[in-house]
Amino acid sequence: MFSFGRKTLLAVVAVLMFFGLTINAEAKEIRVGYLVADQLHFPAIMVMKERNMLEKEGYTVKWSEFLAGSYVMQEMASGSLDFVSCGAVPISISHAQGVKINILASGNQEGSALVVGRDVNSIKDLEGKKIGTPGTGSIQDAMVAQLLKDNNVNARRMSMKVSDMPLFLDKGEISAFVAWQPHCARAVANNFGKILYTSHDMMPGHQCCVLAALQSTVKKDPELVKTFMKVYLEAYKWYLENPDESCKMVMKATGMTEDVVRTAMKGVLYPPVPYVNDKSIAYMVEGLIATKKITAIKKEQIADFVNDLYNPSFLEALTTTK
């Protein structure tokens, strides 16, 4: 029988652990996509990242930041992301185009606004003017498009980085912008403009950002999805229960003052349990069909479409008390 000394045994164990951990880390990489400056709309993702919560579960994480939901969807379609946080509108459009997705939970509801220049007093004043938006496929762009249509106003919507919008408004390069908080509060605090409509005014109770994964990921690796969702809910709860620390975390991520962040936080809705407002999504899909952003389904197919898109089973399993 072979006999090993203590030092030899420890060396062998160390080598085995090294290779085991290396292989394990490679096998457990999670790729997560999220929007730039979206911490207030998707606080759980921010908390997960800042507190290394997935890493504590044994995963390595590749975080990828995008300017708008449409860009996130491009990467998801290519299979480069496992989980994404972005608006329900670009996800719905991609799902209709054949990129089969499951929405798993809500990030937030409402929390955006239309900010206008100091000389704009009504929606009619935007006739022929330029409006900055996060881009086609974002819920913000969809809301403004509907607002302009309802008021028979012709304006040019321009895609741009949300963090640049307040400065462009101040310089007069645009007459208004629609964005998520805290950028709206920052523009008001700096006297660059004023809020003409909140997203509550434009679409009360609307679903904004959501957490999603490819349906193939959900079917192939439900344990991965379950673990991710468990951590997500822990992060969501931490954010709600630690407002002061959460505020500091948002300040760090955005570079904005405490007053701006706290003002912005008041305009974003976070239900105690992050279920998705599926009725709101159905309403959005109806609007996307009417504006021909979705052409693959008809109005009478919306209910089946939303049922295929929204999968609350993981959320239900993790939050239902036995």
mmCIF file of all heavy atoms in Angstrom, residues 103-137:
data_model
loop_
_atom_site.group_PDB
_atom_site.id
_atom_site.type_symbol
_atom_site.label_atom_id
_atom_site.label_comp_id
_atom_site.label_asym_id
_atom_site.label_seq_id
_atom_site.Cartn_x
_atom_site.Cartn_y
_atom_site.Cartn_z
ATOM 1 N N ILE A 103 -39.862 36.088 -19.735
ATOM 2 C CA ILE A 103 -39.766 37.106 -18.691
ATOM 3 C C ILE A 103 -39.972 36.396 -17.360
ATOM 4 O O ILE A 103 -40.938 35.655 -17.178
ATOM 5 C CB ILE A 103 -40.823 38.202 -18.892
ATOM 6 C CG1 ILE A 103 -40.501 39.027 -20.142
ATOM 7 C CG2 ILE A 103 -40.902 39.103 -17.667
ATOM 8 C CD1 ILE A 103 -41.546 40.077 -20.472
ATOM 9 N N LEU A 104 -39.042 36.622 -16.421
ATOM 10 C CA LEU A 104 -39.051 35.884 -15.159
ATOM 11 C C LEU A 104 -39.536 36.709 -13.974
ATOM 12 O O LEU A 104 -40.102 36.162 -13.026
ATOM 13 C CB LEU A 104 -37.645 35.361 -14.857
ATOM 14 C CG LEU A 104 -37.022 34.458 -15.921
ATOM 15 C CD1 LEU A 104 -35.554 34.197 -15.602
ATOM 16 C CD2 LEU A 104 -37.792 33.157 -16.052
ATOM 17 N N ALA A 105 -39.295 38.021 -13.997
ATOM 18 C CA ALA A 105 -39.671 38.867 -12.867
ATOM 19 C C ALA A 105 -39.636 40.332 -13.290
ATOM 20 O O ALA A 105 -39.088 40.682 -14.342
ATOM 21 C CB ALA A 105 -38.731 38.644 -11.685
ATOM 22 N N SER A 106 -40.207 41.152 -12.461
ATOM 23 C CA SER A 106 -40.205 42.598 -12.707
ATOM 24 C C SER A 106 -38.933 43.229 -12.145
ATOM 25 O O SER A 106 -38.369 42.756 -11.157
ATOM 26 C CB SER A 106 -41.425 43.233 -12.042
ATOM 27 O OG SER A 106 -41.388 44.643 -12.133
ATOM 28 N N GLY A 107 -38.512 44.303 -12.785
ATOM 29 C CA GLY A 107 -37.433 45.122 -12.242
ATOM 30 C C GLY A 107 -38.036 46.324 -11.544
ATOM 31 O O GLY A 107 -37.697 46.662 -10.415
ATOM 32 N N ASN A 108 -38.958 46.986 -12.239
ATOM 33 C CA ASN A 108 -39.658 48.142 -11.692
ATOM 34 C C ASN A 108 -40.898 48.429 -12.519
ATOM 35 O O ASN A 108 -41.082 47.862 -13.601
ATOM 36 C CB ASN A 108 -38.764 49.375 -11.702
ATOM 37 C CG ASN A 108 -38.652 49.966 -13.105
ATOM 38 O OD1 ASN A 108 -38.163 49.318 -14.028
ATOM 39 N ND2 ASN A 108 -39.125 51.180 -13.280
ATOM 40 N N GLN A 109 -41.708 49.317 -12.032
ATOM 41 C CA GLN A 109 -42.835 49.849 -12.786
ATOM 42 C C GLN A 109 -42.735 51.367 -12.797
ATOM 43 O O GLN A 109 -42.227 51.969 -11.850
ATOM 44 C CB GLN A 109 -44.169 49.395 -12.187
ATOM 45 C CG GLN A 109 -44.392 47.896 -12.288
ATOM 46 C CD GLN A 109 -45.636 47.429 -11.572
ATOM 47 O OE1 GLN A 109 -46.382 48.225 -11.010
ATOM 48 N NE2 GLN A 109 -45.861 46.119 -11.560
ATOM 49 N N GLU A 110 -43.178 51.971 -13.895
ATOM 50 C CA GLU A 110 -43.115 53.425 -14.088
ATOM 51 C C GLU A 110 -41.674 53.908 -13.945
ATOM 52 O O GLU A 110 -40.748 53.213 -14.346
ATOM 53 C CB GLU A 110 -44.080 54.123 -13.136
ATOM 54 C CG GLU A 110 -45.538 53.706 -13.333
ATOM 55 C CD GLU A 110 -46.503 54.489 -12.469
ATOM 56 O OE1 GLU A 110 -46.085 55.430 -11.771
ATOM 57 O OE2 GLU A 110 -47.702 54.177 -12.494
ATOM 58 N N GLY A 111 -41.478 55.137 -13.428
ATOM 59 C CA GLY A 111 -40.119 55.613 -13.173
ATOM 60 C C GLY A 111 -39.434 56.348 -14.301
ATOM 61 O O GLY A 111 -38.215 56.514 -14.263
ATOM 62 N N SER A 112 -40.189 56.800 -15.322
ATOM 63 C CA SER A 112 -39.599 57.592 -16.399
ATOM 64 C C SER A 112 -40.365 58.908 -16.512
ATOM 65 O O SER A 112 -41.387 59.106 -15.841
ATOM 66 C CB SER A 112 -39.667 56.839 -17.733
ATOM 67 O OG SER A 112 -38.911 55.648 -17.680
ATOM 68 N N ALA A 113 -39.876 59.811 -17.354
ATOM 69 C CA ALA A 113 -40.561 61.095 -17.518
ATOM 70 C C ALA A 113 -40.151 61.749 -18.826
ATOM 71 O O ALA A 113 -39.081 61.469 -19.378
ATOM 72 C CB ALA A 113 -40.253 62.025 -16.344
ATOM 73 N N LEU A 114 -41.030 62.635 -19.310
ATOM 74 C CA LEU A 114 -40.720 63.484 -20.457
ATOM 75 C C LEU A 114 -40.295 64.839 -19.918
ATOM 76 O O LEU A 114 -41.095 65.550 -19.294
ATOM 77 C CB LEU A 114 -41.945 63.635 -21.369
ATOM 78 C CG LEU A 114 -41.770 64.579 -22.567
ATOM 79 C CD1 LEU A 114 -40.736 64.013 -23.552
ATOM 80 C CD2 LEU A 114 -43.106 64.814 -23.276
ATOM 81 N N VAL A 115 -39.047 65.177 -20.126
ATOM 82 C CA VAL A 115 -38.484 66.448 -19.659
ATOM 83 C C VAL A 115 -38.387 67.397 -20.841
ATOM 84 O O VAL A 115 -37.887 67.026 -21.904
ATOM 85 C CB VAL A 115 -37.093 66.239 -19.028
ATOM 86 C CG1 VAL A 115 -36.528 67.561 -18.507
ATOM 87 C CG2 VAL A 115 -37.170 65.216 -17.896
ATOM 88 N N VAL A 116 -38.856 68.616 -20.661
ATOM 89 C CA VAL A 116 -38.881 69.594 -21.755
ATOM 90 C C VAL A 116 -38.072 70.829 -21.393
ATOM 91 O O VAL A 116 -37.812 71.101 -20.221
ATOM 92 C CB VAL A 116 -40.335 70.010 -22.096
ATOM 93 C CG1 VAL A 116 -41.138 68.793 -22.549
ATOM 94 C CG2 VAL A 116 -41.011 70.674 -20.889
ATOM 95 N N GLY A 117 -37.680 71.579 -22.423
ATOM 96 C CA GLY A 117 -36.935 72.809 -22.218
ATOM 97 C C GLY A 117 -37.765 73.865 -21.513
ATOM 98 O O GLY A 117 -38.996 73.768 -21.430
ATOM 99 N N ARG A 118 -37.095 74.884 -21.021
ATOM 100 C CA ARG A 118 -37.765 75.913 -20.235
ATOM 101 C C ARG A 118 -38.835 76.675 -21.013
ATOM 102 O O ARG A 118 -39.757 77.252 -20.432
ATOM 103 C CB ARG A 118 -36.716 76.884 -19.682
ATOM 104 C CG ARG A 118 -35.783 76.247 -18.646
ATOM 105 C CD ARG A 118 -34.731 77.215 -18.163
ATOM 106 N NE ARG A 118 -33.721 77.471 -19.194
ATOM 107 C CZ ARG A 118 -32.600 76.773 -19.331
ATOM 108 N NH1 ARG A 118 -32.375 75.738 -18.526
ATOM 109 N NH2 ARG A 118 -31.721 77.073 -20.256
ATOM 110 N N ASP A 119 -38.715 76.700 -22.350
ATOM 111 C CA ASP A 119 -39.676 77.439 -23.177
ATOM 112 C C ASP A 119 -40.834 76.573 -23.672
ATOM 113 O O ASP A 119 -41.686 77.040 -24.425
ATOM 114 C CB ASP A 119 -38.965 78.064 -24.381
ATOM 115 C CG ASP A 119 -38.277 77.019 -25.257
ATOM 116 O OD1 ASP A 119 -38.017 75.910 -24.752
ATOM 117 O OD2 ASP A 119 -37.995 77.316 -26.428
ATOM 118 N N VAL A 120 -40.882 75.319 -23.264
ATOM 119 C CA VAL A 120 -41.960 74.408 -23.673
ATOM 120 C C VAL A 120 -42.967 74.303 -22.534
ATOM 121 O O VAL A 120 -42.614 73.958 -21.410
ATOM 122 C CB VAL A 120 -41.413 73.015 -24.019
ATOM 123 C CG1 VAL A 120 -42.549 72.057 -24.326
ATOM 124 C CG2 VAL A 120 -40.452 73.102 -25.198
ATOM 125 N N ASN A 121 -44.235 74.593 -22.837
ATOM 126 C CA ASN A 121 -45.270 74.584 -21.809
ATOM 127 C C ASN A 121 -46.371 73.557 -22.050
ATOM 128 O O ASN A 121 -47.183 73.308 -21.165
ATOM 129 C CB ASN A 121 -45.898 75.972 -21.692
ATOM 130 C CG ASN A 121 -44.888 77.013 -21.238
ATOM 131 O OD1 ASN A 121 -44.236 76.851 -20.208
ATOM 132 N ND2 ASN A 121 -44.734 78.068 -22.021
ATOM 133 N N SER A 122 -46.408 72.996 -23.246
ATOM 134 C CA SER A 122 -47.411 71.970 -23.543
ATOM 135 C C SER A 122 -46.862 71.040 -24.608
ATOM 136 O O SER A 122 -45.864 71.352 -25.284
ATOM 137 C CB SER A 122 -48.717 72.610 -24.028
ATOM 138 O OG SER A 122 -48.587 73.071 -25.358
ATOM 139 N N ILE A 123 -47.513 69.911 -24.786
ATOM 140 C CA ILE A 123 -47.075 68.947 -25.788
ATOM 141 C C ILE A 123 -47.140 69.544 -27.184
ATOM 142 O O ILE A 123 -46.327 69.210 -28.058
ATOM 143 C CB ILE A 123 -47.935 67.657 -25.697
ATOM 144 C CG1 ILE A 123 -47.353 66.541 -26.574
ATOM 145 C CG2 ILE A 123 -49.370 67.934 -26.045
ATOM 146 C CD1 ILE A 123 -46.021 66.028 -26.129
ATOM 147 N N LYS A 124 -48.052 70.473 -27.399
ATOM 148 C CA LYS A 124 -48.186 71.109 -28.710
ATOM 149 C C LYS A 124 -46.953 71.928 -29.075
ATOM 150 O O LYS A 124 -46.654 72.115 -30.259
ATOM 151 C CB LYS A 124 -49.429 72.012 -28.734
ATOM 152 C CG LYS A 124 -50.751 71.279 -28.569
ATOM 153 C CD LYS A 124 -51.059 70.390 -29.770
ATOM 154 C CE LYS A 124 -52.449 69.769 -29.658
ATOM 155 N NZ LYS A 124 -52.760 68.875 -30.807
ATOM 156 N N ASP A 125 -46.243 72.410 -28.069
ATOM 157 C CA ASP A 125 -45.032 73.209 -28.319
ATOM 158 C C ASP A 125 -43.894 72.380 -28.908
ATOM 159 O O ASP A 125 -42.881 72.933 -29.336
ATOM 160 C CB ASP A 125 -44.554 73.866 -27.021
ATOM 161 C CG ASP A 125 -45.521 74.931 -26.514
ATOM 162 O OD1 ASP A 125 -46.290 75.458 -27.337
ATOM 163 O OD2 ASP A 125 -45.490 75.218 -25.302
ATOM 164 N N LEU A 126 -44.067 71.063 -28.939
ATOM 165 C CA LEU A 126 -43.020 70.186 -29.486
ATOM 166 C C LEU A 126 -43.225 69.890 -30.967
ATOM 167 O O LEU A 126 -42.476 69.110 -31.555
ATOM 168 C CB LEU A 126 -42.972 68.873 -28.698
ATOM 169 C CG LEU A 126 -42.481 68.999 -27.254
ATOM 170 C CD1 LEU A 126 -42.564 67.655 -26.534
ATOM 171 C CD2 LEU A 126 -41.058 69.541 -27.199
ATOM 172 N N GLU A 127 -44.209 70.514 -31.574
ATOM 173 C CA GLU A 127 -44.446 70.342 -33.004
ATOM 174 C C GLU A 127 -43.191 70.728 -33.785
ATOM 175 O O GLU A 127 -42.653 71.827 -33.651
ATOM 176 C CB GLU A 127 -45.627 71.206 -33.454
ATOM 177 C CG GLU A 127 -45.926 71.143 -34.942
ATOM 178 C CD GLU A 127 -46.483 69.795 -35.387
ATOM 179 O OE1 GLU A 127 -47.226 69.153 -34.601
ATOM 180 O OE2 GLU A 127 -46.165 69.381 -36.521
ATOM 181 N N GLY A 128 -42.687 69.770 -34.603
ATOM 182 C CA GLY A 128 -41.518 70.017 -35.430
ATOM 183 C C GLY A 128 -40.199 70.038 -34.678
ATOM 184 O O GLY A 128 -39.149 70.312 -35.278
ATOM 185 N N LYS A 129 -40.195 69.723 -33.395
ATOM 186 C CA LYS A 129 -38.979 69.784 -32.576
ATOM 187 C C LYS A 129 -38.315 68.402 -32.461
ATOM 188 O O LYS A 129 -38.854 67.390 -32.908
ATOM 189 C CB LYS A 129 -39.322 70.312 -31.180
ATOM 190 C CG LYS A 129 -39.979 71.703 -31.173
ATOM 191 C CD LYS A 129 -39.039 72.774 -31.686
ATOM 192 C CE LYS A 129 -39.722 74.146 -31.704
ATOM 193 N NZ LYS A 129 -40.145 74.595 -30.371
ATOM 194 N N LYS A 130 -37.147 68.383 -31.838
ATOM 195 C CA LYS A 130 -36.393 67.145 -31.645
ATOM 196 C C LYS A 130 -36.550 66.660 -30.208
ATOM 197 O O LYS A 130 -36.428 67.448 -29.261
ATOM 198 C CB LYS A 130 -34.910 67.369 -31.951
ATOM 199 C CG LYS A 130 -34.612 67.771 -33.393
ATOM 200 C CD LYS A 130 -33.130 68.068 -33.564
ATOM 201 C CE LYS A 130 -32.807 68.517 -34.991
ATOM 202 N NZ LYS A 130 -31.374 68.876 -35.144
ATOM 203 N N ILE A 131 -36.794 65.365 -30.075
ATOM 204 C CA ILE A 131 -36.950 64.744 -28.761
ATOM 205 C C ILE A 131 -35.940 63.607 -28.628
ATOM 206 O O ILE A 131 -35.894 62.706 -29.465
ATOM 207 C CB ILE A 131 -38.371 64.180 -28.562
ATOM 208 C CG1 ILE A 131 -39.417 65.286 -28.728
ATOM 209 C CG2 ILE A 131 -38.498 63.514 -27.195
ATOM 210 C CD1 ILE A 131 -40.849 64.782 -28.648
ATOM 211 N N GLY A 132 -35.140 63.640 -27.597
ATOM 212 C CA GLY A 132 -34.186 62.559 -27.354
ATOM 213 C C GLY A 132 -34.874 61.371 -26.705
ATOM 214 O O GLY A 132 -35.677 61.540 -25.781
ATOM 215 N N THR A 133 -34.582 60.173 -27.187
ATOM 216 C CA THR A 133 -35.128 58.948 -26.594
ATOM 217 C C THR A 133 -34.009 57.898 -26.526
ATOM 218 O O THR A 133 -33.011 58.010 -27.248
ATOM 219 C CB THR A 133 -36.312 58.360 -27.400
ATOM 220 O OG1 THR A 133 -35.824 57.489 -28.428
ATOM 221 C CG2 THR A 133 -37.163 59.455 -28.012
ATOM 222 N N PRO A 134 -34.181 56.874 -25.697
ATOM 223 C CA PRO A 134 -33.173 55.806 -25.642
ATOM 224 C C PRO A 134 -33.137 54.949 -26.899
ATOM 225 O O PRO A 134 -32.260 54.100 -27.041
ATOM 226 C CB PRO A 134 -33.603 54.972 -24.436
ATOM 227 C CG PRO A 134 -34.472 55.862 -23.639
ATOM 228 C CD PRO A 134 -35.180 56.714 -24.641
ATOM 229 N N GLY A 135 -34.085 55.145 -27.804
ATOM 230 C CA GLY A 135 -34.055 54.417 -29.064
ATOM 231 C C GLY A 135 -35.289 53.562 -29.286
ATOM 232 O O GLY A 135 -36.008 53.206 -28.348
ATOM 233 N N THR A 136 -35.542 53.253 -30.563
ATOM 234 C CA THR A 136 -36.663 52.392 -30.928
ATOM 235 C C THR A 136 -36.531 51.045 -30.222
ATOM 236 O O THR A 136 -35.462 50.449 -30.180
ATOM 237 C CB THR A 136 -36.692 52.159 -32.449
ATOM 238 O OG1 THR A 136 -36.803 53.415 -33.101
ATOM 239 C CG2 THR A 136 -37.859 51.272 -32.841
ATOM 240 N N GLY A 137 -37.633 50.591 -29.655
ATOM 241 C CA GLY A 137 -37.596 49.337 -28.906
ATOM 242 C C GLY A 137 -37.556 49.554 -27.415
ATOM 243 O O GLY A 137 -37.689 48.600 -26.652
#
